[in-house]
Every structure is written in C-alpha cells, then in structure tokens.
Amino acid sequence: MKSLIYTHSMVKSKRRVSPQQRRIYRRRRVVAAIALVLTLSLLIFCLYSLGRGIAALGSVAGVGSGPDLSRSKVSSPVKVSKVRNCKASDLQLELSTKSPSTEVGGSVEFKETVKYVGGSSCLINTASDSLVLTITSGSDHIWRSDVCPADSHTILMSKADNMDRFEQPVTWDAERSSDSCTEGFAAPKVDSGSYSAKLSLKGQKKAVSQTLPLLVE
C-alpha cells in the first residue's frame, strides 16, 4: 500500500505541462494584460473627458477666465449730434434788471435773455462760463461769471414754439471776483460808484448784449 502511495506521489511530482497547455496559458496571460491596459486607458479617458466637461460648464457660467462682458463693462454708444453750434448771427442777447442800483454790500438781480433770429436750428451752451455776465467800471473788470468752470447746459434754439427764446436769472452780489477760480475765496465788496453790466457768448465776439448802467450807493 505504501509502495502504491509513493509511486503515485512520484508520478504526480513529475507531471509535466504539455506545449499546447503552455501556449494556452501564455495566450491567457497576454489577453489578461491587454484587457488590463484597455481598462486603464478607458479609465484615464473618462477622467480626462469629465475634467474637460466641468471646465466647459464653468466657462459658460462665467466662472472661467474669459473676458467679462457684463453690462457695467460695455461702453455706451456715443451720441453724435448733427445740429450745429449757434453763431452770433443766429442770436440776439439782452440783459435787464428791475432795479439797476443797490447799496454797498447788496446785490443786483439780472435776467439774461437769448432770442433766436437764425434760419436753421442750432445749439448754445447757456452755462455761466459760456453765456458770460461781465461787470466793469471804466476799463477795470470788476466781476465775471466765467471765473470758475460750470457744468454744461446746452439747449436747442429754433423757430419752433417755446424754442426761439431762452431766459435765466443771474445775481451779482456787488463784489469783485478774483483773476482765477479759488476755492473758499472771500470776494471783497465793491465801493459805491457807477458800474456797467454786459452779456456775451464766449467764442462769438459779435454776440453781445447792450450795456446796462448800474449804481452802487
């Protein structure tokens, strides 16, 4: 019995794999390796595609680094007017006051009037540094309304109703202005005497009003 068992063990230990079986084993190993490579490649491709998809969604949602085209960044279109600026021949300037005299330290209330006498519509800036009130005493320039810059106030003048005439009030506090715009400047009051007032349109030498006499008592 022992002899039979020993003989069987020896036979089993000396068992050899046939060449055909070895080829099958090798083929299986190759197939398994190829399958592993394909699986890894597919996994890498899926991860790459997922990353690209997330980046694309972020770009569409505005998260990406593309240009910011929000409303606040977009420049507003510039409006270009084809209406010309008024010339001296289009306008008639007038200056008036209900009280041409005041006491020292008082003030004079004027009314500036622009009448349209032209043939085609035009634009005029009626701000105080364009439609200028000047106070003089002989050759001495006492006060000017254009010493400091002012916000533009452009209006259309034409023959249409309510557009052929413009009026606005202006006050002179019987004081002397400085030669340049100075913040916090304390303008000195003028002395009693005779003065003159005149209205003019800057840039148009012939666009001037009549001279209005004033008296400071």
Side-chain angles (χ1 to χ4, degrees):
M1 183 69 178
K2 290 182 179 180
S3 177
L4 289 174
I5 293 173
Y6 175 78
T7 302
H8 179 73
S9 297
M10 292 298 293
V11 171
K12 184 176 181 180
S13 63
K14 291 182 180 181
R15 182 179 178 182
R16 295 179 179 274
V17 179
S18 67
Q20 182 178 3
Q21 289 178 326
R22 282 198 295 269
R23 287 195 296 270
I24 293 174
Y25 292 156
R26 284 196 298 269
R27 190 178 298 115
R28 289 178 177 176
R29 292 192 186 100
V30 171
V31 171
I34 293 174
L36 179 60
V37 171
L38 291 176
T39 301
L40 291 175
S41 299
L42 180 61
L43 179 61
I44 293 172
F45 176 76
C46 290
L47 291 175
Y48 175 77
S49 299
L50 180 61
R52 291 291 299 273
I54 293 175
L57 288 175
S59 177
V60 171
V63 180
S65 58
D68 184 1
L69 296 179
S70 61
R71 180 179 293 272
S72 61
K73 297 291 184 179
V74 179
S75 300
S76 300
V78 178
K79 295 182 179 180
V80 180
S81 174
K82 294 183 180 180
V83 181
R84 63 186 179 87
N85 291 327
C86 294
K87 298 180 180 180
S89 58
D90 298 312
L91 307 170
Q92 181 179 325
L93 305 186
E94 296 180 358
L95 186 65
S96 61
T97 178
K98 292 181 178 180
S99 178
S101 65
T102 186
E103 59 185 9
V104 174
S107 62
V108 179
E109 300 289 337
F110 295 98
K111 181 173 70 174
E112 299 176 341
T113 302
V114 180
K115 293 181 179 180
Y116 178 71
V117 294
S120 60
S121 301
C122 61
L123 298 173
I124 178 175
N125 181 8
T126 60
S128 60
D129 60 348
S130 178
L131 194 58
V132 184
L133 174 63
T134 305
I135 308 295
T136 60
S137 178
S139 60
D140 186 12
H141 282 74
I142 303 298
W143 187 87
R144 293 178 61 91
S145 65
D146 63 342
V147 172
C148 290
D151 293 335
S152 177
H153 184 240
T154 302
I155 63 171
L156 177 67
M157 303 293 292
S158 74
K159 292 183 177 180
D161 291 341
N162 300 322
M163 299 181 69
D164 61 347
R165 186 184 185 93
F166 173 78
E167 296 179 349
Q168 67 180 1
V170 62
T171 301
W172 175 51
D173 291 325
E175 60 189 17
R176 180 183 291 271
S177 61
S178 61
D179 295 332
S180 60
C181 186
T182 304
E183 185 177 357
F185 172 72
K189 299 297 182 178
V190 299
D191 296 328
S192 59
S194 296
Y195 298 88
S196 297
K198 185 168 59 177
L199 185 64
S200 62
L201 180 62
K202 184 170 289 187
Q204 299 290 337
K205 294 182 178 180
K206 295 183 178 181
V208 294
S209 71
Q210 81 284 13
T211 300
L212 188 68
L214 303 173
L215 181 63
V216 177
E217 301 177 319

mmCIF file of all heavy atoms in Angstrom, residues 109-155:
data_model
loop_
_atom_site.group_PDB
_atom_site.id
_atom_site.type_symbol
_atom_site.label_atom_id
_atom_site.label_comp_id
_atom_site.label_asym_id
_atom_site.label_seq_id
_atom_site.Cartn_x
_atom_site.Cartn_y
_atom_site.Cartn_z
ATOM 1 N N GLU A 109 -30.231 141.797 -9.211
ATOM 2 C CA GLU A 109 -30.816 140.652 -9.893
ATOM 3 C C GLU A 109 -30.990 140.978 -11.378
ATOM 4 O O GLU A 109 -31.680 141.943 -11.733
ATOM 5 C CB GLU A 109 -32.184 140.307 -9.289
ATOM 6 C CG GLU A 109 -32.151 139.958 -7.808
ATOM 7 C CD GLU A 109 -31.511 138.607 -7.537
ATOM 8 O OE1 GLU A 109 -31.494 137.774 -8.473
ATOM 9 O OE2 GLU A 109 -31.029 138.392 -6.416
ATOM 10 N N PHE A 110 -30.369 140.160 -12.237
ATOM 11 C CA PHE A 110 -30.465 140.352 -13.680
ATOM 12 C C PHE A 110 -31.321 139.243 -14.296
ATOM 13 O O PHE A 110 -31.502 138.170 -13.718
ATOM 14 C CB PHE A 110 -29.084 140.306 -14.333
ATOM 15 C CG PHE A 110 -28.164 141.424 -13.912
ATOM 16 C CD1 PHE A 110 -27.216 141.213 -12.919
ATOM 17 C CD2 PHE A 110 -28.237 142.671 -14.515
ATOM 18 C CE1 PHE A 110 -26.357 142.236 -12.542
ATOM 19 C CE2 PHE A 110 -27.384 143.697 -14.143
ATOM 20 C CZ PHE A 110 -26.439 143.476 -13.145
ATOM 21 N N LYS A 111 -31.788 139.528 -15.500
ATOM 22 C CA LYS A 111 -32.422 138.492 -16.321
ATOM 23 C C LYS A 111 -31.680 138.445 -17.659
ATOM 24 O O LYS A 111 -31.595 139.448 -18.363
ATOM 25 C CB LYS A 111 -33.905 138.781 -16.549
ATOM 26 C CG LYS A 111 -34.587 137.686 -17.392
ATOM 27 C CD LYS A 111 -36.096 137.892 -17.485
ATOM 28 C CE LYS A 111 -36.453 139.087 -18.314
ATOM 29 N NZ LYS A 111 -37.927 139.209 -18.529
ATOM 30 N N GLU A 112 -31.122 137.277 -17.961
ATOM 31 C CA GLU A 112 -30.434 137.075 -19.238
ATOM 32 C C GLU A 112 -31.440 136.511 -20.245
ATOM 33 O O GLU A 112 -32.144 135.554 -19.942
ATOM 34 C CB GLU A 112 -29.258 136.100 -19.080
ATOM 35 C CG GLU A 112 -28.200 136.590 -18.105
ATOM 36 C CD GLU A 112 -27.096 135.560 -17.881
ATOM 37 O OE1 GLU A 112 -27.324 134.370 -18.186
ATOM 38 O OE2 GLU A 112 -26.023 135.949 -17.397
ATOM 39 N N THR A 113 -31.468 137.090 -21.443
ATOM 40 C CA THR A 113 -32.409 136.650 -22.469
ATOM 41 C C THR A 113 -31.652 136.364 -23.761
ATOM 42 O O THR A 113 -30.822 137.176 -24.202
ATOM 43 C CB THR A 113 -33.489 137.704 -22.743
ATOM 44 O OG1 THR A 113 -34.187 137.982 -21.539
ATOM 45 C CG2 THR A 113 -34.476 137.208 -23.795
ATOM 46 N N VAL A 114 -31.922 135.207 -24.351
ATOM 47 C CA VAL A 114 -31.359 134.836 -25.652
ATOM 48 C C VAL A 114 -32.515 134.630 -26.613
ATOM 49 O O VAL A 114 -33.383 133.788 -26.384
ATOM 50 C CB VAL A 114 -30.509 133.553 -25.563
ATOM 51 C CG1 VAL A 114 -29.937 133.204 -26.944
ATOM 52 C CG2 VAL A 114 -29.392 133.709 -24.545
ATOM 53 N N LYS A 115 -32.531 135.411 -27.700
ATOM 54 C CA LYS A 115 -33.563 135.274 -28.721
ATOM 55 C C LYS A 115 -32.958 134.650 -29.969
ATOM 56 O O LYS A 115 -31.838 134.979 -30.366
ATOM 57 C CB LYS A 115 -34.155 136.646 -29.070
ATOM 58 C CG LYS A 115 -34.936 137.283 -27.943
ATOM 59 C CD LYS A 115 -35.509 138.638 -28.380
ATOM 60 C CE LYS A 115 -36.324 139.284 -27.269
ATOM 61 N NZ LYS A 115 -36.879 140.600 -27.676
ATOM 62 N N TYR A 116 -33.718 133.743 -30.573
ATOM 63 C CA TYR A 116 -33.250 133.088 -31.792
ATOM 64 C C TYR A 116 -33.742 133.860 -33.012
ATOM 65 O O TYR A 116 -34.947 134.083 -33.167
ATOM 66 C CB TYR A 116 -33.750 131.644 -31.841
ATOM 67 C CG TYR A 116 -33.344 130.917 -33.099
ATOM 68 C CD1 TYR A 116 -32.035 130.541 -33.311
ATOM 69 C CD2 TYR A 116 -34.291 130.638 -34.084
ATOM 70 C CE1 TYR A 116 -31.662 129.898 -34.475
ATOM 71 C CE2 TYR A 116 -33.922 129.979 -35.239
ATOM 72 C CZ TYR A 116 -32.605 129.618 -35.431
ATOM 73 O OH TYR A 116 -32.230 128.989 -36.583
ATOM 74 N N VAL A 117 -32.811 134.247 -33.886
ATOM 75 C CA VAL A 117 -33.153 135.001 -35.092
ATOM 76 C C VAL A 117 -32.547 134.353 -36.342
ATOM 77 O O VAL A 117 -32.497 134.976 -37.401
ATOM 78 C CB VAL A 117 -32.671 136.472 -34.972
ATOM 79 C CG1 VAL A 117 -33.424 137.190 -33.872
ATOM 80 C CG2 VAL A 117 -31.160 136.540 -34.722
ATOM 81 N N GLY A 118 -32.090 133.110 -36.210
ATOM 82 C CA GLY A 118 -31.428 132.429 -37.326
ATOM 83 C C GLY A 118 -32.404 131.755 -38.266
ATOM 84 O O GLY A 118 -33.624 131.860 -38.128
ATOM 85 N N GLY A 119 -31.815 131.014 -39.222
ATOM 86 C CA GLY A 119 -32.636 130.341 -40.211
ATOM 87 C C GLY A 119 -32.748 128.847 -40.004
ATOM 88 O O GLY A 119 -33.705 128.223 -40.454
ATOM 89 N N SER A 120 -31.779 128.227 -39.340
ATOM 90 C CA SER A 120 -31.814 126.788 -39.072
ATOM 91 C C SER A 120 -31.437 126.535 -37.619
ATOM 92 O O SER A 120 -30.727 127.332 -37.005
ATOM 93 C CB SER A 120 -30.864 126.027 -40.003
ATOM 94 O OG SER A 120 -29.531 126.466 -39.834
ATOM 95 N N SER A 121 -31.910 125.445 -37.079
ATOM 96 C CA SER A 121 -31.715 125.138 -35.656
ATOM 97 C C SER A 121 -30.233 125.084 -35.294
ATOM 98 O O SER A 121 -29.382 124.715 -36.109
ATOM 99 C CB SER A 121 -32.379 123.800 -35.312
ATOM 100 O OG SER A 121 -33.754 123.846 -35.601
ATOM 101 N N CYS A 122 -29.936 125.447 -34.047
ATOM 102 C CA CYS A 122 -28.547 125.419 -33.585
ATOM 103 C C CYS A 122 -28.516 125.212 -32.070
ATOM 104 O O CYS A 122 -29.548 125.318 -31.386
ATOM 105 C CB CYS A 122 -27.813 126.704 -33.962
ATOM 106 S SG CYS A 122 -28.513 128.214 -33.241
ATOM 107 N N LEU A 123 -27.341 124.928 -31.541
ATOM 108 C CA LEU A 123 -27.151 124.651 -30.114
ATOM 109 C C LEU A 123 -26.367 125.773 -29.460
ATOM 110 O O LEU A 123 -25.438 126.328 -30.050
ATOM 111 C CB LEU A 123 -26.408 123.329 -29.926
ATOM 112 C CG LEU A 123 -27.087 122.066 -30.454
ATOM 113 C CD1 LEU A 123 -26.138 120.875 -30.338
ATOM 114 C CD2 LEU A 123 -28.386 121.793 -29.697
ATOM 115 N N ILE A 124 -26.730 126.069 -28.204
ATOM 116 C CA ILE A 124 -25.999 127.082 -27.427
ATOM 117 C C ILE A 124 -25.836 126.588 -25.996
ATOM 118 O O ILE A 124 -26.761 126.021 -25.408
ATOM 119 C CB ILE A 124 -26.739 128.446 -27.449
ATOM 120 C CG1 ILE A 124 -25.985 129.457 -26.582
ATOM 121 C CG2 ILE A 124 -28.176 128.310 -27.021
ATOM 122 C CD1 ILE A 124 -26.576 130.868 -26.633
ATOM 123 N N ASN A 125 -24.632 126.794 -25.463
ATOM 124 C CA ASN A 125 -24.356 126.451 -24.074
ATOM 125 C C ASN A 125 -24.648 127.679 -23.221
ATOM 126 O O ASN A 125 -23.988 128.706 -23.342
ATOM 127 C CB ASN A 125 -22.891 126.026 -23.920
ATOM 128 C CG ASN A 125 -22.547 125.626 -22.493
ATOM 129 O OD1 ASN A 125 -23.419 125.526 -21.630
ATOM 130 N ND2 ASN A 125 -21.275 125.401 -22.231
ATOM 131 N N THR A 126 -25.644 127.570 -22.340
ATOM 132 C CA THR A 126 -26.071 128.721 -21.536
ATOM 133 C C THR A 126 -25.499 128.697 -20.123
ATOM 134 O O THR A 126 -25.967 129.436 -19.250
ATOM 135 C CB THR A 126 -27.609 128.767 -21.460
ATOM 136 O OG1 THR A 126 -28.085 127.559 -20.862
ATOM 137 C CG2 THR A 126 -28.211 128.906 -22.848
ATOM 138 N N ALA A 127 -24.484 127.865 -19.869
ATOM 139 C CA ALA A 127 -23.846 127.833 -18.547
ATOM 140 C C ALA A 127 -23.123 129.155 -18.297
ATOM 141 O O ALA A 127 -22.796 129.899 -19.223
ATOM 142 C CB ALA A 127 -22.873 126.666 -18.463
ATOM 143 N N SER A 128 -22.823 129.429 -17.014
ATOM 144 C CA SER A 128 -22.255 130.726 -16.632
ATOM 145 C C SER A 128 -20.849 130.963 -17.174
ATOM 146 O O SER A 128 -20.389 132.111 -17.224
ATOM 147 C CB SER A 128 -22.233 130.856 -15.109
ATOM 148 O OG SER A 128 -21.441 129.834 -14.519
ATOM 149 N N ASP A 129 -20.151 129.905 -17.592
ATOM 150 C CA ASP A 129 -18.818 130.101 -18.164
ATOM 151 C C ASP A 129 -18.859 130.140 -19.689
ATOM 152 O O ASP A 129 -17.814 130.172 -20.341
ATOM 153 C CB ASP A 129 -17.862 129.009 -17.691
ATOM 154 C CG ASP A 129 -18.321 127.614 -18.090
ATOM 155 O OD1 ASP A 129 -19.487 127.465 -18.542
ATOM 156 O OD2 ASP A 129 -17.533 126.663 -17.947
ATOM 157 N N SER A 130 -20.070 130.129 -20.257
ATOM 158 C CA SER A 130 -20.240 130.245 -21.705
ATOM 159 C C SER A 130 -21.062 131.485 -22.065
ATOM 160 O O SER A 130 -20.673 132.281 -22.923
ATOM 161 C CB SER A 130 -20.912 128.985 -22.257
ATOM 162 O OG SER A 130 -21.128 129.090 -23.653
ATOM 163 N N LEU A 131 -22.207 131.641 -21.398
ATOM 164 C CA LEU A 131 -23.012 132.861 -21.517
ATOM 165 C C LEU A 131 -22.567 133.748 -20.352
ATOM 166 O O LEU A 131 -23.000 133.578 -19.214
ATOM 167 C CB LEU A 131 -24.496 132.513 -21.432
ATOM 168 C CG LEU A 131 -25.495 133.577 -21.862
ATOM 169 C CD1 LEU A 131 -25.271 134.013 -23.298
ATOM 170 C CD2 LEU A 131 -26.922 133.074 -21.682
ATOM 171 N N VAL A 132 -21.658 134.685 -20.643
ATOM 172 C CA VAL A 132 -20.876 135.352 -19.601
ATOM 173 C C VAL A 132 -21.437 136.734 -19.267
ATOM 174 O O VAL A 132 -21.637 137.580 -20.159
ATOM 175 C CB VAL A 132 -19.405 135.489 -20.039
ATOM 176 C CG1 VAL A 132 -18.574 136.097 -18.915
ATOM 177 C CG2 VAL A 132 -18.846 134.127 -20.439
ATOM 178 N N LEU A 133 -21.661 136.952 -17.980
ATOM 179 C CA LEU A 133 -22.027 138.270 -17.472
ATOM 180 C C LEU A 133 -20.759 138.951 -16.959
ATOM 181 O O LEU A 133 -20.021 138.379 -16.154
ATOM 182 C CB LEU A 133 -23.047 138.148 -16.339
ATOM 183 C CG LEU A 133 -23.411 139.449 -15.627
ATOM 184 C CD1 LEU A 133 -24.084 140.436 -16.582
ATOM 185 C CD2 LEU A 133 -24.310 139.184 -14.415
ATOM 186 N N THR A 134 -20.525 140.180 -17.424
ATOM 187 C CA THR A 134 -19.332 140.924 -17.035
ATOM 188 C C THR A 134 -19.730 142.257 -16.424
ATOM 189 O O THR A 134 -20.558 142.984 -16.990
ATOM 190 C CB THR A 134 -18.413 141.174 -18.250
ATOM 191 O OG1 THR A 134 -18.105 139.925 -18.873
ATOM 192 C CG2 THR A 134 -17.124 141.860 -17.834
ATOM 193 N N ILE A 135 -19.123 142.578 -15.270
ATOM 194 C CA ILE A 135 -19.332 143.864 -14.605
ATOM 195 C C ILE A 135 -18.018 144.643 -14.692
ATOM 196 O O ILE A 135 -16.951 144.132 -14.332
ATOM 197 C CB ILE A 135 -19.734 143.689 -13.125
ATOM 198 C CG1 ILE A 135 -20.920 142.724 -12.991
ATOM 199 C CG2 ILE A 135 -20.031 145.049 -12.500
ATOM 200 C CD1 ILE A 135 -22.200 143.210 -13.602
ATOM 201 N N THR A 136 -18.101 145.877 -15.170
ATOM 202 C CA THR A 136 -16.916 146.716 -15.307
ATOM 203 C C THR A 136 -17.157 148.084 -14.675
ATOM 204 O O THR A 136 -18.297 148.495 -14.430
ATOM 205 C CB THR A 136 -16.529 146.905 -16.788
ATOM 206 O OG1 THR A 136 -17.640 147.525 -17.467
ATOM 207 C CG2 THR A 136 -16.194 145.573 -17.433
ATOM 208 N N SER A 137 -16.027 148.780 -14.463
ATOM 209 C CA SER A 137 -16.068 150.176 -14.028
ATOM 210 C C SER A 137 -14.980 150.892 -14.819
ATOM 211 O O SER A 137 -13.787 150.785 -14.490
ATOM 212 C CB SER A 137 -15.817 150.295 -12.528
ATOM 213 O OG SER A 137 -15.818 151.656 -12.122
ATOM 214 N N GLY A 138 -15.405 151.552 -15.904
ATOM 215 C CA GLY A 138 -14.432 152.121 -16.819
ATOM 216 C C GLY A 138 -13.695 150.995 -17.519
ATOM 217 O O GLY A 138 -14.303 150.097 -18.114
ATOM 218 N N SER A 139 -12.364 150.989 -17.423
ATOM 219 C CA SER A 139 -11.558 149.911 -18.024
ATOM 220 C C SER A 139 -11.254 148.792 -17.023
ATOM 221 O O SER A 139 -10.566 147.821 -17.362
ATOM 222 C CB SER A 139 -10.238 150.499 -18.555
ATOM 223 O OG SER A 139 -9.502 151.100 -17.495
ATOM 224 N N ASP A 140 -11.752 148.932 -15.808
ATOM 225 C CA ASP A 140 -11.482 147.950 -14.749
ATOM 226 C C ASP A 140 -12.538 146.845 -14.786
ATOM 227 O O ASP A 140 -13.740 147.111 -14.667
ATOM 228 C CB ASP A 140 -11.493 148.655 -13.392
ATOM 229 C CG ASP A 140 -11.084 147.724 -12.260
ATOM 230 O OD1 ASP A 140 -10.588 146.618 -12.556
ATOM 231 O OD2 ASP A 140 -11.275 148.113 -11.085
ATOM 232 N N HIS A 141 -12.090 145.591 -14.960
ATOM 233 C CA HIS A 141 -13.004 144.449 -14.926
ATOM 234 C C HIS A 141 -13.230 144.060 -13.465
ATOM 235 O O HIS A 141 -12.315 143.594 -12.776
ATOM 236 C CB HIS A 141 -12.418 143.273 -15.712
ATOM 237 C CG HIS A 141 -12.560 143.418 -17.194
ATOM 238 N ND1 HIS A 141 -11.793 144.300 -17.924
ATOM 239 C CD2 HIS A 141 -13.394 142.814 -18.084
ATOM 240 C CE1 HIS A 141 -12.135 144.233 -19.209
ATOM 241 N NE2 HIS A 141 -13.109 143.338 -19.333
ATOM 242 N N ILE A 142 -14.458 144.259 -13.019
ATOM 243 C CA ILE A 142 -14.789 144.038 -11.607
ATOM 244 C C ILE A 142 -15.167 142.585 -11.326
ATOM 245 O O ILE A 142 -14.703 141.986 -10.356
ATOM 246 C CB ILE A 142 -15.947 144.959 -11.180
ATOM 247 C CG1 ILE A 142 -15.589 146.425 -11.428
ATOM 248 C CG2 ILE A 142 -16.312 144.720 -9.715
ATOM 249 C CD1 ILE A 142 -14.388 146.906 -10.645
ATOM 250 N N TRP A 143 -16.015 142.030 -12.181
ATOM 251 C CA TRP A 143 -16.562 140.687 -11.905
ATOM 252 C C TRP A 143 -16.925 140.007 -13.209
ATOM 253 O O TRP A 143 -17.415 140.633 -14.153
ATOM 254 C CB TRP A 143 -17.805 140.831 -11.033
ATOM 255 C CG TRP A 143 -18.389 139.533 -10.525
ATOM 256 C CD1 TRP A 143 -18.033 138.881 -9.392
ATOM 257 C CD2 TRP A 143 -19.435 138.767 -11.124
ATOM 258 N NE1 TRP A 143 -18.787 137.753 -9.238
ATOM 259 C CE2 TRP A 143 -19.671 137.655 -10.298
ATOM 260 C CE3 TRP A 143 -20.201 138.922 -12.281
ATOM 261 C CZ2 TRP A 143 -20.623 136.690 -10.578
ATOM 262 C CZ3 TRP A 143 -21.146 137.970 -12.572
ATOM 263 C CH2 TRP A 143 -21.369 136.861 -11.734
ATOM 264 N N ARG A 144 -16.679 138.685 -13.261
ATOM 265 C CA ARG A 144 -17.039 137.870 -14.439
ATOM 266 C C ARG A 144 -17.654 136.557 -13.953
ATOM 267 O O ARG A 144 -17.181 135.970 -12.968
ATOM 268 C CB ARG A 144 -15.821 137.563 -15.318
ATOM 269 C CG ARG A 144 -15.228 138.766 -16.009
ATOM 270 C CD ARG A 144 -14.002 138.364 -16.824
ATOM 271 N NE ARG A 144 -14.346 137.407 -17.867
ATOM 272 C CZ ARG A 144 -14.689 137.757 -19.107
ATOM 273 N NH1 ARG A 144 -14.739 139.031 -19.458
ATOM 274 N NH2 ARG A 144 -14.977 136.836 -20.009
ATOM 275 N N SER A 145 -18.662 136.083 -14.663
ATOM 276 C CA SER A 145 -19.329 134.836 -14.252
ATOM 277 C C SER A 145 -18.567 133.589 -14.695
ATOM 278 O O SER A 145 -18.918 132.480 -14.294
ATOM 279 C CB SER A 145 -20.748 134.785 -14.832
ATOM 280 O OG SER A 145 -20.720 134.716 -16.252
ATOM 281 N N ASP A 146 -17.534 133.755 -15.531
ATOM 282 C CA ASP A 146 -16.811 132.594 -16.061
ATOM 283 C C ASP A 146 -15.478 132.345 -15.370
ATOM 284 O O ASP A 146 -14.632 131.618 -15.892
ATOM 285 C CB ASP A 146 -16.581 132.756 -17.570
ATOM 286 C CG ASP A 146 -15.708 133.955 -17.899
ATOM 287 O OD1 ASP A 146 -15.561 134.843 -17.032
ATOM 288 O OD2 ASP A 146 -15.172 134.009 -19.011
ATOM 289 N N VAL A 147 -15.267 132.951 -14.193
ATOM 290 C CA VAL A 147 -14.007 132.735 -13.473
ATOM 291 C C VAL A 147 -13.850 131.262 -13.098
ATOM 292 O O VAL A 147 -12.770 130.682 -13.229
ATOM 293 C CB VAL A 147 -13.931 133.626 -12.218
ATOM 294 C CG1 VAL A 147 -12.717 133.248 -11.368
ATOM 295 C CG2 VAL A 147 -13.868 135.093 -12.616
ATOM 296 N N CYS A 148 -14.934 130.644 -12.665
ATOM 297 C CA CYS A 148 -14.907 129.217 -12.316
ATOM 298 C C CYS A 148 -15.675 128.410 -13.360
ATOM 299 O O CYS A 148 -16.680 128.892 -13.895
ATOM 300 C CB CYS A 148 -15.525 128.985 -10.941
ATOM 301 S SG CYS A 148 -14.527 129.627 -9.561
ATOM 302 N N PRO A 149 -15.222 127.199 -13.676
ATOM 303 C CA PRO A 149 -15.926 126.368 -14.666
ATOM 304 C C PRO A 149 -17.295 125.946 -14.150
ATOM 305 O O PRO A 149 -17.513 125.825 -12.939
ATOM 306 C CB PRO A 149 -15.002 125.156 -14.842
ATOM 307 C CG PRO A 149 -14.211 125.102 -13.571
ATOM 308 C CD PRO A 149 -14.027 126.513 -13.142
ATOM 309 N N ALA A 150 -18.220 125.722 -15.072
ATOM 310 C CA ALA A 150 -19.584 125.312 -14.718
ATOM 311 C C ALA A 150 -20.002 124.131 -15.578
ATOM 312 O O ALA A 150 -19.446 123.914 -16.664
ATOM 313 C CB ALA A 150 -20.559 126.476 -14.908
ATOM 314 N N ASP A 151 -20.957 123.363 -15.100
ATOM 315 C CA ASP A 151 -21.481 122.237 -15.877
ATOM 316 C C ASP A 151 -22.181 122.759 -17.126
ATOM 317 O O ASP A 151 -22.924 123.740 -17.089
ATOM 318 C CB ASP A 151 -22.476 121.421 -15.045
ATOM 319 C CG ASP A 151 -21.812 120.715 -13.884
ATOM 320 O OD1 ASP A 151 -20.598 120.464 -13.973
ATOM 321 O OD2 ASP A 151 -22.510 120.436 -12.890
ATOM 322 N N SER A 152 -21.933 122.083 -18.231
ATOM 323 C CA SER A 152 -22.525 122.494 -19.499
ATOM 324 C C SER A 152 -24.054 122.423 -19.436
ATOM 325 O O SER A 152 -24.622 121.508 -18.844
ATOM 326 C CB SER A 152 -22.004 121.608 -20.631
ATOM 327 O OG SER A 152 -22.619 121.945 -21.862
ATOM 328 N N HIS A 153 -24.699 123.428 -20.049
ATOM 329 C CA HIS A 153 -26.164 123.451 -20.127
ATOM 330 C C HIS A 153 -26.543 123.841 -21.555
ATOM 331 O O HIS A 153 -26.831 125.007 -21.848
ATOM 332 C CB HIS A 153 -26.737 124.438 -19.111
ATOM 333 C CG HIS A 153 -28.224 124.445 -19.056
ATOM 334 N ND1 HIS A 153 -28.991 125.558 -19.312
ATOM 335 C CD2 HIS A 153 -29.115 123.445 -18.783
ATOM 336 C CE1 HIS A 153 -30.273 125.264 -19.206
ATOM 337 N NE2 HIS A 153 -30.371 123.982 -18.881
ATOM 338 N N THR A 154 -26.491 122.855 -22.448
ATOM 339 C CA THR A 154 -26.709 123.091 -23.868
ATOM 340 C C THR A 154 -28.183 122.942 -24.217
ATOM 341 O O THR A 154 -28.821 121.960 -23.816
ATOM 342 C CB THR A 154 -25.882 122.111 -24.719
ATOM 343 O OG1 THR A 154 -24.497 122.281 -24.384
ATOM 344 C CG2 THR A 154 -26.071 122.382 -26.205
ATOM 345 N N ILE A 155 -28.716 123.913 -24.953
ATOM 346 C CA ILE A 155 -30.115 123.878 -25.358
ATOM 347 C C ILE A 155 -30.217 124.077 -26.866
ATOM 348 O O ILE A 155 -29.297 124.585 -27.515
ATOM 349 C CB ILE A 155 -30.947 124.959 -24.634
ATOM 350 C CG1 ILE A 155 -30.435 126.355 -25.005
ATOM 351 C CG2 ILE A 155 -30.919 124.754 -23.131
ATOM 352 C CD1 ILE A 155 -31.326 127.469 -24.503
#
